[in-house]
Amino acid sequence: MKKISEAVVRRLPIYLRFLNELHVRNIQTISSRDFGERLGMNPAQIRKDLNYFGEFGKKGIGYDVPYLIEKIQQILKLDQTIHVALVGAGNLGHALCNYNIYLKSNMKITAVFDDFPEKVGSQINNLIVQPMSELTKTVQSQAIRIGIITVPASEAQNVADAFVKAGVEAILNFAPSIIKVPQEIKVHHADFTTELHSLAYYLD
């Protein structure tokens, strides 16, 4: 199987979101040039990214929007149901669960956990906050494949260890700390502070 760089994989959801916007507006085709201009990207880069997975465009016509949406969803495995668990029922955890309910996607947060007794048993939309002692059982019974960490930095590694033990395949870490997991577990870090600090570099 051809090795695809992480940078390419990270751009695919951007393409998918844009194509969905076009689909809502009933736009059926788009050229790579218009694709690039609308996203502020080099059209050649978009063509190269998509060509890793097949020949999706037609010369002189461009890309068929509904077809490309379907193909990118398949590439990202979004054509199948993916269950997600979240640990950390604080403000950020609540916000993610609240956002989750409006997602028109097969990827859904289906379980939420916390270690604080006062949070266990509370409800976030249609989800009941469960104790950490139920994590492994729930992950396995619901076939949960991705874990989200929204706990303080001091607890992030413990939660990551629990996710790994339970059998998740990937982790999205919002805690401002680096977590260590086995090589086969994919981790993405979403650190707001790091992003803000990098933006500060560009200020006058």
Side-chain angles (χ1 to χ4, degrees):
M1 184 177 179
K2 188 186 298 182
K3 177 69 174 178
I4 307 298
S5 75
E6 184 166 328
V8 173
V9 176
R10 284 181 174 272
R11 285 192 289 267
L12 291 179
I14 297 173
Y15 302 157
L16 181 59
R17 181 175 60 191
F18 172 64
L19 290 165
N20 280 323
E21 291 172 358
L22 295 180
H23 187 60
V24 168
R25 293 159 53 197
N26 202 31
I27 296 174
Q28 298 298 307
T29 60
I30 187 168
S31 68
S32 60
R33 184 184 66 181
D34 289 342
F35 208 144
E37 287 180 355
R38 299 283 289 277
L39 289 178
M41 296 177 62
N42 187 331
Q45 181 66 68
I46 295 173
R47 290 195 298 270
K48 182 179 179 181
D49 288 349
L50 295 176
N51 283 342
Y52 279 116
F53 305 97
E55 296 289 340
F56 301 127
K58 295 181 180 179
K59 192 172 182 179
I61 299 176
Y63 295 104
D64 181 287
V65 171
Y67 178 74
L68 191 53
I69 288 173
E70 179 184 350
K71 289 302 176 182
I72 294 179
Q73 286 177 332
Q74 290 175 358
I75 292 165
L76 293 173
K77 300 181 176 66
L78 297 178
D79 58 333
Q80 55 187 271
T81 299
I82 300 176
H83 293 168
V84 181
L86 181 145
V87 174
N91 292 333
L92 179 56
H94 270 74
L96 291 172
C97 289
N98 287 331
Y99 177 69
N100 170 76
I101 199 170
Y102 296 106
L103 285 180
K104 294 180 179 179
S105 169
N106 288 345
M107 183 178 291
K108 292 284 188 181
I109 297 173
T110 58
V112 58
F113 302 85
D114 205 289
D115 219 14
F116 285 93
E118 60 268 28
K119 293 181 180 178
V120 172
S122 62
Q123 188 167 344
I124 307 176
N125 293 317
N126 60 332
L127 299 174
I128 302 297
V129 179
Q130 300 173 240
M132 286 296 292
S133 59
E134 296 179 2
L135 178 69
T136 297
K137 179 181 177 181
T138 303
V139 165
Q140 294 175 357
S141 66
Q142 293 189 17
I144 289 170
R145 303 178 68 184
I146 296 178
I148 299 177
I149 298 175
T150 58
V151 300
S154 60
E155 296 298 322
Q157 186 61 55
N158 289 336
V159 174
D161 292 342
F163 270 139
V164 171
K165 182 179 178 181
V168 301
E169 301 169 48
I171 295 173
L172 177 58
N173 177 32
F174 281 90
S177 65
I178 302 299
I179 57 175
K180 296 180 179 180
V181 298
Q183 188 174 2
E184 66 271 17
I185 307 297
K186 187 65 178 178
V187 176
H188 280 182
H189 296 275
D191 187 340
F192 297 137
T193 301
T194 299
E195 296 297 329
L196 285 171
H197 286 174
S198 63
L199 281 175
Y201 171 81
Y202 299 99
L203 300 179
D204 293 332

